[in-house]
Amino acid sequence: MPAAALKPMSTQSTAKRAVPLETPCVPVAKRPLPPGRPREWYVAHNRRLKAMRLAIALLDSGVYLPDQARNETIRGAAHLIGVHPPSDTTCHMVRAFMRYNR
């Protein structure tokens, strides 16, 4: 048996290293939203999706603490991943997601 086969393989989790935001995103198949809900539900739903996308982008770029994620940082991440700049409310929600997942 070759000596290389006896060495344990070292793996590195992506949670421990920064992943550049320039990597292309793989689009997820979209499904239509359920009909008949109040407009506020759709607004809140889309805001949560955007906040989650931004939180993931920040975590991938090395911003792990909510205190590091100022509004300017979040809006910079939004520009890099190609979404409209988030409102102050959405920025607050991004920090809340990051706080919750610690």
Side-chain angles (χ1 to χ4, degrees):
M1 182 178 272
L6 298 175
K7 291 182 181 179
M9 294 180 60
S10 64
T11 59
Q12 187 176 20
S13 170
T14 57
K16 301 295 181 193
R17 60 187 163 95
V19 177
L21 288 176
E22 291 83 26
T23 57
C25 296
V26 178
V28 178
K30 294 185 179 184
R31 298 185 330 228
L33 293 175
R37 306 240 176 151
R39 184 178 190 283
E40 294 80 28
W41 183 89
Y42 297 104
V43 171
H45 175 76
N46 289 329
R47 187 184 304 272
R48 282 191 300 271
L49 289 178
K50 184 176 190 175
M52 184 59 73
R53 264 188 247 116
L54 288 168
I56 291 168
L58 287 169
L59 291 170
D60 285 346
S61 70
V63 178
Y64 299 113
L65 300 174
D67 298 337
Q68 296 173 327
R70 297 185 339 262
N71 288 357
E72 298 81 23
T73 308
I74 296 170
R75 290 187 176 113
H79 178 72
L80 285 175
I81 65 172
V83 297
H84 288 284
S87 65
D88 291 342
T89 304
T90 305
C91 290
H92 181 77
M93 191 177 285
V94 169
R95 286 188 289 275
F97 276 136
M98 294 175 75
R99 200 171 293 117
Y100 180 76
N101 289 318
R102 269 208 268 174

